[in-house]
Amino acid sequence: MTFQEIASRLSERFGTVPGIGLEPKPENPVDPYLKVSAEHILEVAKYLRDDEETQFDYLSCLSGVDLKGSLAVVYNLFSMTKRHKLTLRVEVPVANPTVQSVESIWKTANWHEREAFDLFGINFAGHPDLRRILLPYDWEGHPLRKDYQVPEYYNGMKVPY
Amino acid sequence: MTDTLTAAPKTSTGKSLRTEEMIINMGPQHPSTHGVLRLEIVVDGEIVVDVVPHIGYLHRCFEKHCEHMTNYQQVIPYVDRMDYVCAMNNEFAYVVAAERLLKIQVPERVEFIRVIMAELQRIASHLIAVGTYGIDIGAFTPFLYCFRDREKILDLFEMTCGARLLYNYMWIGGLSHDLPPDFVPRAKEFCAYFKPKIKEFNDLLTYNEIFVKRTAMTGVLPADVGLNYACSGPMLRASGVNWDLRRDDPYSVYHKFDWEVAVGKGEMGPVGSCWDRHIVRMKEMEQSVRILEQALAQIPEGDVQSAIPKRIRPNPGEVYARTESPRGELGFYIVSDGTATPYRIKARGPGFVNLSVISEIAKGAMIADLVAIVGSIDIVLGEVDR
Amino acid sequence: MEQYLTSLFGDTIWVHILMGVPPLVFILLYALVVIYLEMKMAAHMQDRLAYMRTGWHGLLQPIADMLKLLQKEDTIPAAADKFLFLLAPYVVFIGTYAAFAALPFGSAYIGSGINVGVFYILAISSLVVVGLLMAGWASNNKWSLFGALRSAAQIVSYEIPSALAILAVVMMAGTMNLQELSAMQTGGIGHWMILGGSLPLAKKLIAVPLMLVLFLIYYVSSMAEVNRTPFDIPEAESELVQGYNTEYSGMKFAIFYLAEYANLFAVSAIVTVLFFGGWASPFASLMTGPWWSAFWFVTKGMFFVSLNIWLRWTLPRFRVDQLMYMSWKVLTPFALACVVGLGLLLVW
């Protein structure tokens, strides 16, 4: 299925749900993506995985992006059986970055969401074990944000040298 | 902050004798965890009840560095160093993603040479994987044989671009050096030399009774669990899923060659065991030699540097491209904002994703099996932590 | 040799002290040789050269290794049980060295010609288990403890098949004194126990397969007794760093190392005495005499040591439960069957 077909199938199913925020962006070079709102990503993900026409059973990559002013979570989905792909994007404000966790749909999201939390500070509601993964457990700050300042001291050691 | 253990240790393995569980640390420094990986193991006697991996000891802030580069080409040495054991494949993944973003078409000669280098690197990486796996199981000799053969591959690389391990060879739009004149004859010699070595290795280790008994019944990864955890590469293929990105999500010129995808069939135990992963890697090496021979026979002429852009300034947009590295699906998600500096580059490392499945497949194994399982996942901490 | 010394010194304590010296000298010289042999055999099997720089082709390397170990810092972990930690290597060494007392180093020398020779050897080499457990426990390190526990289970389990194999040979020979056992096998290769000893030809045809099986059982169990691959889980490098050895350095580690090699020679020597003629020459009357017999004994022992080294660098290692399975469910039943078979053969 092409991007347009998937987008129209989704808007058929979810178009009437309030606050769903479905916005296809087909004109984006190179990969078109589909925006979804943060509170509904779980339902949309479940539908995309279970529906026989789409069958997105493989979550290739889940990344955080800092668009200055808001944080985004990008999901790269793929279907092993149907061989089509889709990119979803959820944008949240920096002040309250909360997104529903899709860990219950694709278990691989467990570690990817921990990484997004670690590096960007995005909170995933419903994640069973949200803690830092790459940085030490008591690190302060979220490094991949564009406005990140390297701290002076960490546990008494001078950081920038 | 929070405890290092996620939940209270689970109760005993359900036997009537009341035993107490011990928490052991297979710490960051350990001869068998292939790098700085910390495994917190809850054991009941010798049986593993739970495994919690802790990573991040090799985090080198690759993604933050990329955002301060002045040029997309400058990222390539960093990409090499992510998975230092298969540097050519890392570069391949990155330049495929960048060329898709910039809509550059490279000359055919460049594509062929890239495939040759990637396949040679795949063989070298698998040699390390199976050699160190032998050491984990206790057989010290196959490791030395693998390294002897790997030296020949590294000699080929050194002849081409001067480096043995981290190359900075594949650039966006082309390559840094063309092949030297005696590369093709020597590579063909290598293919002829290497084929009987695979058989020798199989006789020595793969079909050895002790090795089979140690690995064929442990670490079984069912196919649906593997898909849900987004495993890829030999891990997924060993569970019976016939999936290879070189054939199923094609890139470069792989469609021009005739080769087979190695899938685990459960010859010595349940499908998806550690032995299956091992034999899939051995068969992949054979298939790589096949691709190499075909590619070496068909390299077209051309200029490898003609398509390298002088100034890289992509249009704003994003792309996610993935290739088959020896460990699995290596993907790059690049976001560009229209300037020469990359805005965001995320590397999806296969080791990162494959390692997350360890807590599922290691339950109920013994400590010796845990070492075998971690070895069969074939992680390189460089790409797990980036 | 005892008579010679008594004629020199009279019946004083010096005789007994000097009688105890040859095995010690032998162990020290043998350690140098076997370290070099192991390194070179491993290297050539792995398609590489080992030491080439210290002396011609590395011949002086074992001396360098020993000097290095001697001058290393002896560390003791802070929370270790000091007394046990210090005592453990010596207990292990005593266990293996004491076994040398009953080995016949030639027709003229045996440390102690007791008539329960091989039974004594089995008993005293169990002292090694105590030493290993002490080492593992006293190191205050979970991984060392694991190594020690596994080692204790392994050694104790494999004593059964080895004792059964020894029992069969003792049945055939009628004596447990190793000096007499060796003496019985003089007269050429046809008299060696593995080829039926002094049985008539008809019975030999049945005895030889049984003896071969018993030899294999004993050889495999002896590899497990010495903690060598494929049975080296107690010191499995890839899992337990160095097992019960982890916290030891310097001289104490050197003692463990020495004890392991000494134990290896001791079991190889037992194999040659029980099955392959001990110090008896394979040619009927050529090359016999006190010095030649010592030569044969050492050569045969070194042959089995090299076989062990060869196996170590070829095979992967067993897992703990597979090892136990092999001992209890494979080796012991076969050994029992062979003992019964041999017994019937002898009575017939």
Side-chain angles (χ1 to χ4, degrees), chain B residues 23 32 141 145 148 369, chain C residues 45 47 142 150 238 313 319:
Chain B
I23 300 178
S32 86
T141 309
Y145 290 171
R148 173 198 60 191
D369 291 336
Chain C
M45 277 171 45
D47 203 7
K142 282 178 185 158
R150 284 170 164 181
S238 36
W313 294 104
R319 203 176 57 196

Side-chain angles (χ1 to χ4, degrees), chain A residues 59-102:
Chain A
L59 173 64
S60 269
C61 184
L62 195 162
S63 350
V65 188
D66 181 354
L67 314 157
K68 306 184 177 112
S70 61
L71 296 171
V73 180
V74 179
Y75 303 78
N76 294 99
L77 302 172
F78 193 74
S79 168
M80 289 289 208
T81 42
K82 302 279 181 179
R83 308 282 173 94
H84 51 214
K85 57 183 178 173
L86 179 67
T87 309
L88 292 176
R89 183 195 273 217
V90 171
E91 292 182 20
V92 281
V94 179
N96 177 22
T98 311
V99 178
Q100 278 181 327
S101 163
V102 295

